[in-house]
Amino acid sequence: MNRIFLMALAFTLMSPIAVKSDERIYETKNICGRYYSAEINGAAAARSLGLKDTGRVGSRVEQYCNFFR
């Protein structure tokens, strides 16, 4: 009985995490696609992705986006 409760609790806690990570990946791919199609510039993409706007912003965004290709 105790194990069933723990398994149900673990499943309940892990389900929302998977959904949020899928949404974040989709959002990141959308931002990267807009950056590569020149709809937004590097600074706007960096802000949307949560990267700092210092230094060579375009190369940092490209490194981040290449991870999701």
Side-chain angles (χ1 to χ4, degrees):
M1 178 74 177
N2 196 12
R3 287 184 184 176
I4 294 172
F5 174 73
L6 290 175
M7 292 174 73
L9 181 64
F11 178 76
T12 304
L13 292 176
M14 295 188 78
S15 295
I17 294 170
V19 171
K20 286 188 178 190
S21 66
D22 288 345
E23 290 175 5
R24 177 66 179 155
I25 290 170
Y26 176 77
E27 178 183 343
T28 299
K29 286 185 175 185
N30 184 26
I31 293 167
C32 291
R34 291 176 54 208
Y35 169 74
Y36 282 120
S37 66
E39 291 180 20
I40 57 176
N41 63 15
R47 280 192 301 276
S48 298
L49 294 170
L51 301 174
K52 294 184 179 178
D53 288 353
T54 59
R56 299 179 59 194
V57 175
S59 65
R60 294 195 67 207
V61 171
E62 288 176 13
Q63 285 177 344
Y64 191 85
C65 289
N66 282 336
F67 179 77
F68 288 97
R69 281 188 166 186

Coordinates of all heavy atoms in Angstrom, one line a residue:
M1 N 0.8 -1.2 0.0 CA 0.0 0.0 0.0 C 0.9 1.2 0.0 O 0.6 2.2 -0.7 CB -0.9 -0.1 1.2 CG -1.8 1.1 1.4 SD -3.1 1.0 0.2 CE -4.0 2.4 0.6
N2 N 1.9 1.2 0.8 CA 2.8 2.4 0.9 C 3.5 2.6 -0.4 O 3.7 3.7 -0.8 CB 3.8 2.2 2.1 CG 4.4 3.5 2.5 OD1 4.0 4.5 2.1 ND2 5.5 3.4 3.3
R3 N 4.0 1.5 -1.1 CA 4.7 1.7 -2.3 C 3.8 2.2 -3.5 O 4.2 3.0 -4.3 CB 5.2 0.3 -2.8 CG 6.4 -0.1 -1.9 CD 7.0 -1.4 -2.5 NE 8.1 -1.9 -1.6 CZ 8.7 -3.0 -1.7 NH1 8.4 -3.8 -2.7 NH2 9.7 -3.3 -0.9
I4 N 2.5 1.8 -3.5 CA 1.6 2.3 -4.5 C 1.4 3.8 -4.3 O 1.4 4.5 -5.3 CB 0.2 1.5 -4.4 CG1 0.4 0.1 -4.7 CG2 -0.8 2.2 -5.3 CD1 -0.8 -0.8 -4.5
F5 N 1.3 4.2 -3.1 CA 1.1 5.7 -2.8 C 2.4 6.4 -3.3 O 2.2 7.5 -3.9 CB 0.9 5.9 -1.3 CG 0.9 7.4 -1.0 CD1 -0.2 8.2 -1.3 CD2 1.9 7.9 -0.3 CE1 -0.2 9.5 -1.0 CE2 1.9 9.3 0.0 CZ 0.8 10.1 -0.3
L6 N 3.6 5.9 -3.0 CA 4.8 6.6 -3.4 C 4.9 6.6 -4.9 O 5.4 7.6 -5.5 CB 6.0 5.9 -2.8 CG 6.1 6.1 -1.3 CD1 7.3 5.3 -0.7 CD2 6.3 7.6 -0.9
M7 N 4.6 5.5 -5.6 CA 4.6 5.5 -7.1 C 3.6 6.5 -7.7 O 4.0 7.2 -8.6 CB 4.4 4.1 -7.6 CG 5.5 3.1 -7.2 SD 5.1 1.4 -7.7 CE 5.3 1.6 -9.4
A8 N 2.4 6.6 -7.1 CA 1.4 7.5 -7.6 C 1.9 8.9 -7.4 O 1.7 9.8 -8.3 CB 0.1 7.3 -7.0
L9 N 2.5 9.2 -6.3 CA 3.0 10.5 -6.0 C 4.1 10.9 -6.9 O 4.2 12.0 -7.4 CB 3.4 10.6 -4.5 CG 4.0 12.0 -4.0 CD1 2.9 13.0 -4.1 CD2 4.5 11.8 -2.6
A10 N 5.0 10.0 -7.2 CA 6.1 10.3 -8.1 C 5.6 10.6 -9.5 O 6.1 11.5 -10.1 CB 7.1 9.1 -8.1
F11 N 4.7 9.8 -9.9 CA 4.1 10.0 -11.3 C 3.4 11.3 -11.4 O 3.6 12.1 -12.4 CB 3.1 8.9 -11.6 CG 2.5 9.0 -12.9 CD1 3.2 8.8 -14.1 CD2 1.2 9.5 -13.0 CE1 2.6 8.9 -15.3 CE2 0.6 9.7 -14.3 CZ 1.3 9.4 -15.4
T12 N 2.7 11.7 -10.3 CA 2.0 13.0 -10.3 C 3.0 14.2 -10.4 O 2.7 15.2 -11.1 CB 1.1 13.1 -9.1 OG1 0.2 12.0 -9.1 CG2 0.3 14.4 -9.1
L13 N 4.1 14.1 -9.6 CA 5.0 15.2 -9.6 C 5.8 15.3 -10.9 O 6.3 16.4 -11.2 CB 5.9 15.0 -8.4 CG 5.3 15.1 -7.0 CD1 6.3 14.8 -5.9 CD2 4.7 16.5 -6.8
M14 N 6.1 14.2 -11.6 CA 6.9 14.2 -12.8 C 6.1 14.6 -14.0 O 6.7 15.1 -15.0 CB 7.6 12.9 -12.9 CG 8.6 12.6 -11.8 SD 9.6 11.2 -12.1 CE 10.8 11.8 -13.2
S15 N 4.8 14.4 -14.0 CA 4.0 14.7 -15.2 C 4.1 16.2 -15.6 O 4.3 16.5 -16.8 CB 2.6 14.3 -15.0 OG 2.5 12.9 -14.9
P16 N 3.9 17.1 -14.7 CA 3.9 18.5 -15.1 C 5.3 19.0 -15.6 O 5.4 19.8 -16.5 CB 3.5 19.3 -13.9 CG 2.8 18.3 -13.0 CD 3.4 17.0 -13.4
I17 N 6.4 18.4 -15.1 CA 7.7 18.7 -15.4 C 7.9 18.4 -16.9 O 8.5 19.2 -17.7 CB 8.7 18.0 -14.5 CG1 8.6 18.5 -13.1 CG2 10.2 18.2 -15.0 CD1 9.4 17.8 -12.1
A18 N 7.5 17.2 -17.4 CA 7.7 16.8 -18.7 C 6.9 17.8 -19.7 O 7.4 18.1 -20.7 CB 7.2 15.4 -18.9
V19 N 5.7 18.2 -19.3 CA 4.9 19.1 -20.1 C 5.6 20.4 -20.3 O 5.7 21.0 -21.4 CB 3.5 19.2 -19.6 CG1 2.7 20.3 -20.3 CG2 2.8 17.9 -19.7
K20 N 6.1 21.0 -19.2 CA 6.8 22.3 -19.2 C 8.1 22.2 -20.0 O 8.4 23.1 -20.8 CB 7.1 22.8 -17.8 CG 5.8 23.3 -17.1 CD 6.2 23.9 -15.8 CE 4.9 24.4 -15.1 NZ 5.2 25.3 -14.0
S21 N 8.8 21.1 -20.0 CA 10.0 21.0 -20.7 C 9.7 20.9 -22.2 O 10.4 21.5 -23.0 CB 10.9 19.8 -20.3 OG 10.2 18.6 -20.6
D22 N 8.7 20.2 -22.6 CA 8.3 20.1 -24.0 C 7.9 21.5 -24.5 O 8.2 21.9 -25.6 CB 7.1 19.2 -24.2 CG 7.5 17.7 -24.0 OD1 8.7 17.4 -24.0 OD2 6.6 16.9 -23.9
E23 N 7.1 22.3 -23.7 CA 6.8 23.6 -24.1 C 8.0 24.5 -24.3 O 8.0 25.3 -25.2 CB 5.8 24.2 -23.1 CG 4.4 23.6 -23.1 CD 3.6 24.1 -22.0 OE1 4.0 25.1 -21.3 OE2 2.4 23.6 -21.8
R24 N 8.9 24.4 -23.4 CA 10.2 25.2 -23.5 C 11.0 24.9 -24.7 O 11.5 25.8 -25.4 CB 11.0 25.0 -22.2 CG 12.3 25.8 -22.2 CD 12.1 27.2 -22.2 NE 13.4 27.9 -22.1 CZ 13.7 29.1 -22.5 NH1 12.7 29.8 -23.0 NH2 14.9 29.6 -22.5
I25 N 11.1 23.6 -25.0 CA 11.8 23.2 -26.2 C 11.1 23.7 -27.5 O 11.7 24.3 -28.4 CB 12.0 21.7 -26.3 CG1 12.9 21.2 -25.2 CG2 12.4 21.2 -27.7 CD1 13.0 19.7 -25.0
Y26 N 9.8 23.6 -27.5 CA 9.0 24.2 -28.7 C 9.2 25.7 -28.8 O 9.5 26.2 -29.9 CB 7.6 23.8 -28.5 CG 6.7 24.4 -29.6 CD1 6.7 23.9 -30.9 CD2 6.0 25.6 -29.4 CE1 5.9 24.4 -31.9 CE2 5.2 26.1 -30.4 CZ 5.2 25.5 -31.7 OH 4.5 26.1 -32.7
E27 N 9.2 26.4 -27.7 CA 9.4 27.8 -27.7 C 10.8 28.2 -28.1 O 10.9 29.1 -28.9 CB 9.1 28.4 -26.3 CG 9.3 29.9 -26.1 CD 9.1 30.3 -24.7 OE1 8.5 29.6 -23.9 OE2 9.6 31.4 -24.4
T28 N 11.8 27.5 -27.7 CA 13.2 27.7 -28.1 C 13.3 27.5 -29.6 O 14.0 28.3 -30.2 CB 14.1 26.8 -27.3 OG1 14.0 27.1 -25.9 CG2 15.5 27.1 -27.7
K29 N 12.8 26.4 -30.1 CA 12.9 26.2 -31.5 C 12.2 27.3 -32.3 O 12.7 27.7 -33.4 CB 12.3 24.8 -31.9 CG 13.2 23.7 -31.4 CD 12.7 22.3 -31.9 CE 13.6 21.2 -31.6 NZ 13.2 19.9 -32.1
N30 N 11.1 27.8 -31.8 CA 10.4 28.8 -32.5 C 11.2 30.1 -32.5 O 11.3 30.8 -33.6 CB 9.0 29.1 -31.8 CG 8.2 30.1 -32.5 OD1 8.3 30.3 -33.7 ND2 7.3 30.8 -31.7
I31 N 11.8 30.5 -31.4 CA 12.7 31.7 -31.3 C 13.9 31.5 -32.3 O 14.2 32.4 -33.0 CB 13.1 31.9 -29.9 CG1 11.9 32.3 -29.0 CG2 14.2 33.0 -29.8 CD1 12.2 32.3 -27.5
C32 N 14.5 30.3 -32.2 CA 15.7 30.1 -33.1 C 15.3 30.2 -34.6 O 16.0 30.7 -35.4 CB 16.3 28.8 -32.8 SG 17.1 28.7 -31.2
G33 N 14.1 29.6 -34.9 CA 13.7 29.7 -36.3 C 13.4 31.1 -36.7 O 13.8 31.5 -37.9
R34 N 12.8 31.9 -35.9 CA 12.6 33.3 -36.2 C 13.9 34.1 -36.3 O 14.1 35.0 -37.1 CB 11.7 34.0 -35.1 CG 10.3 33.4 -35.1 CD 9.4 34.0 -34.0 NE 9.5 35.4 -34.0 CZ 9.3 36.2 -32.9 NH1 9.0 35.6 -31.8 NH2 9.3 37.5 -33.0
Y35 N 14.9 33.7 -35.5 CA 16.2 34.4 -35.6 C 16.9 34.0 -36.9 O 17.4 34.9 -37.6 CB 17.1 33.9 -34.4 CG 18.6 34.3 -34.5 CD1 18.9 35.6 -34.4 CD2 19.5 33.4 -34.9 CE1 20.3 36.0 -34.5 CE2 20.9 33.8 -35.0 CZ 21.2 35.1 -34.8 OH 22.5 35.5 -35.0
Y36 N 16.9 32.8 -37.3 CA 17.6 32.3 -38.5 C 16.8 32.9 -39.8 O 17.5 33.0 -40.8 CB 17.7 30.8 -38.6 CG 18.9 30.3 -37.7 CD1 18.7 29.5 -36.7 CD2 20.2 30.8 -38.0 CE1 19.7 29.0 -35.9 CE2 21.3 30.4 -37.2 CZ 21.0 29.5 -36.2 OH 22.1 29.1 -35.4
S37 N 15.5 33.1 -39.7 CA 14.8 33.6 -40.8 C 14.8 35.1 -40.8 O 14.1 35.8 -41.7 CB 13.4 33.1 -40.9 OG 12.7 33.6 -39.8
A38 N 15.6 35.7 -39.9 CA 15.8 37.2 -39.8 C 14.5 38.0 -39.5 O 14.4 39.1 -39.8 CB 16.4 37.7 -41.1
E39 N 13.6 37.3 -38.8 CA 12.4 38.0 -38.3 C 12.7 38.8 -37.1 O 12.1 39.9 -36.8 CB 11.3 37.1 -38.0 CG 10.7 36.4 -39.2 CD 9.5 35.5 -38.8 OE1 9.0 35.6 -37.7 OE2 9.2 34.6 -39.7
I40 N 13.7 38.3 -36.3 CA 14.2 39.1 -35.1 C 15.7 39.1 -35.1 O 16.3 38.3 -35.7 CB 13.7 38.4 -33.8 CG1 14.1 37.0 -33.7 CG2 12.2 38.5 -33.6 CD1 13.7 36.3 -32.3
N41 N 16.3 40.1 -34.5 CA 17.7 40.2 -34.4 C 18.3 39.5 -33.3 O 17.6 38.9 -32.5 CB 18.1 41.7 -34.4 CG 17.7 42.4 -33.2 OD1 17.3 41.8 -32.2 ND2 17.7 43.8 -33.2
G42 N 19.6 39.4 -33.2 CA 20.3 38.7 -32.2 C 20.0 39.1 -30.8 O 19.8 38.3 -29.9
A43 N 19.9 40.4 -30.5 CA 19.6 40.9 -29.2 C 18.2 40.5 -28.7 O 18.0 40.1 -27.6 CB 19.7 42.4 -29.2
A44 N 17.2 40.6 -29.6 CA 15.8 40.2 -29.3 C 15.8 38.7 -29.0 O 15.1 38.2 -28.1 CB 14.9 40.6 -30.4
A45 N 16.5 37.9 -29.8 CA 16.5 36.4 -29.6 C 17.2 36.1 -28.3 O 16.7 35.2 -27.5 CB 17.3 35.7 -30.7
A46 N 18.3 36.8 -28.0 CA 19.0 36.6 -26.7 C 18.1 36.9 -25.5 O 18.0 36.1 -24.5 CB 20.2 37.4 -26.6
R47 N 17.3 38.0 -25.6 CA 16.4 38.3 -24.5 C 15.3 37.3 -24.3 O 15.0 36.9 -23.2 CB 15.8 39.7 -24.7 CG 16.7 40.8 -24.3 CD 16.0 42.2 -24.3 NE 15.4 42.5 -25.6 CZ 16.0 43.1 -26.6 NH1 17.3 43.4 -26.5 NH2 15.4 43.3 -27.7
S48 N 14.8 36.8 -25.5 CA 13.7 35.8 -25.4 C 14.2 34.5 -24.9 O 13.4 33.8 -24.2 CB 13.1 35.6 -26.8 OG 12.6 36.8 -27.3
L49 N 15.4 34.1 -25.2 CA 16.0 32.9 -24.7 C 16.5 33.0 -23.3 O 16.9 32.0 -22.7 CB 17.1 32.4 -25.6 CG 16.7 32.0 -27.1 CD1 17.9 31.8 -27.9 CD2 15.8 30.8 -27.0
G50 N 16.6 34.2 -22.7 CA 17.1 34.4 -21.4 C 18.7 34.4 -21.3 O 19.2 34.2 -20.3
L51 N 19.3 34.8 -22.5 CA 20.8 34.9 -22.5 C 21.1 36.3 -22.2 O 20.3 37.3 -22.4 CB 21.3 34.5 -23.9 CG 21.0 33.1 -24.3 CD1 21.5 32.9 -25.8 CD2 21.7 32.1 -23.4
K52 N 22.3 36.6 -21.7 CA 22.8 37.9 -21.4 C 23.1 38.6 -22.7 O 23.6 38.0 -23.6 CB 24.0 37.9 -20.4 CG 23.6 37.4 -19.1 CD 24.8 37.4 -18.1 CE 24.4 36.9 -16.8 NZ 25.5 36.9 -15.8
D53 N 22.9 39.9 -22.7 CA 23.1 40.7 -23.9 C 24.5 41.3 -24.0 O 24.7 42.3 -24.6 CB 22.1 41.9 -24.0 CG 20.7 41.5 -24.3 OD1 20.5 40.3 -24.6 OD2 19.8 42.3 -24.3
T54 N 25.5 40.6 -23.5 CA 26.9 41.2 -23.5 C 27.7 40.4 -24.5 O 27.5 39.3 -24.8 CB 27.5 41.0 -22.1 OG1 27.5 39.6 -21.8 CG2 26.8 41.8 -21.0
G55 N 28.7 41.1 -25.1 CA 29.6 40.5 -26.0 C 29.0 40.3 -27.3 O 28.2 41.0 -27.8
R56 N 29.4 39.2 -27.9 CA 28.9 38.8 -29.3 C 27.6 38.0 -29.1 O 27.6 36.8 -29.0 CB 30.0 38.0 -30.0 CG 31.3 38.8 -30.1 CD 32.4 38.0 -30.8 NE 31.9 37.5 -32.1 CZ 32.5 36.6 -32.9 NH1 33.5 36.0 -32.4 NH2 32.0 36.3 -34.1
V57 N 26.6 38.8 -29.2 CA 25.2 38.2 -28.9 C 24.9 37.2 -30.0 O 24.4 36.1 -29.7 CB 24.2 39.3 -28.9 CG1 22.8 38.7 -28.7 CG2 24.5 40.2 -27.7
G58 N 25.2 37.5 -31.3 CA 24.8 36.6 -32.4 C 25.4 35.2 -32.2 O 24.8 34.2 -32.5
S59 N 26.7 35.2 -31.9 CA 27.4 33.9 -31.8 C 26.8 33.1 -30.6 O 26.7 31.8 -30.6 CB 28.9 34.0 -31.6 OG 29.2 34.7 -30.4
R60 N 26.5 33.8 -29.5 CA 25.9 33.0 -28.3 C 24.5 32.5 -28.7 O 24.2 31.3 -28.3 CB 25.8 34.0 -27.1 CG 27.1 34.4 -26.6 CD 27.1 35.0 -25.3 NE 26.7 34.0 -24.3 CZ 26.1 34.3 -23.2 NH1 25.8 35.5 -22.9 NH2 25.7 33.3 -22.4
V61 N 23.7 33.2 -29.4 CA 22.4 32.7 -29.8 C 22.6 31.5 -30.8 O 21.9 30.5 -30.6 CB 21.6 33.9 -30.5 CG1 20.3 33.3 -31.1 CG2 21.2 34.9 -29.5
E62 N 23.5 31.6 -31.7 CA 23.8 30.5 -32.6 C 24.2 29.3 -31.9 O 23.8 28.2 -32.2 CB 24.7 31.0 -33.7 CG 24.1 31.9 -34.7 CD 25.1 32.5 -35.7 OE1 26.2 31.9 -35.8 OE2 24.8 33.4 -36.4
Q63 N 25.1 29.4 -30.9 CA 25.6 28.3 -30.2 C 24.4 27.6 -29.4 O 24.2 26.4 -29.4 CB 26.6 28.7 -29.1 CG 28.0 28.9 -29.7 CD 29.0 29.4 -28.7 OE1 28.6 29.8 -27.6 NE2 30.2 29.4 -29.0
Y64 N 23.6 28.4 -28.8 CA 22.4 27.9 -28.1 C 21.4 27.2 -29.0 O 20.9 26.2 -28.7 CB 21.7 29.1 -27.4 CG 20.6 28.7 -26.4 CD1 21.0 28.4 -25.1 CD2 19.3 28.7 -26.7 CE1 20.0 28.0 -24.2 CE2 18.3 28.3 -25.8 CZ 18.7 28.0 -24.5 OH 17.8 27.6 -23.6
C65 N 21.2 27.8 -30.2 CA 20.2 27.3 -31.1 C 20.8 26.0 -31.8 O 20.0 25.1 -32.1 CB 19.9 28.3 -32.2 SG 18.8 29.6 -31.6
N66 N 22.1 25.9 -32.0 CA 22.6 24.7 -32.6 C 22.4 23.5 -31.7 O 22.4 22.4 -32.2 CB 24.1 24.9 -32.9 CG 24.3 25.7 -34.1 OD1 23.5 25.8 -35.0 ND2 25.5 26.4 -34.2
F67 N 22.3 23.7 -30.4 CA 22.1 22.6 -29.5 C 20.7 21.9 -29.8 O 20.6 20.7 -29.7 CB 22.1 23.1 -28.1 CG 21.8 22.0 -27.1 CD1 22.8 21.1 -26.8 CD2 20.6 21.9 -26.4 CE1 22.6 20.1 -25.8 CE2 20.3 20.9 -25.5 CZ 21.3 20.0 -25.2
F68 N 19.7 22.7 -30.3 CA 18.4 22.2 -30.5 C 18.1 21.8 -31.9 O 17.0 21.5 -32.3 CB 17.4 23.3 -30.1 CG 17.3 23.4 -28.6 CD1 18.0 24.4 -28.0 CD2 16.5 22.6 -27.8 CE1 17.9 24.6 -26.6 CE2 16.5 22.7 -26.5 CZ 17.2 23.7 -25.9
R69 N 19.1 21.8 -32.8 CA 18.9 21.3 -34.2 C 18.9 19.8 -34.3 O 19.3 19.1 -33.6 CB 20.1 21.9 -35.0 CG 19.8 23.3 -35.4 CD 20.8 23.7 -36.4 NE 20.4 25.0 -36.9 CZ 21.0 25.6 -37.9 NH1 22.0 25.0 -38.5 NH2 20.6 26.7 -38.4

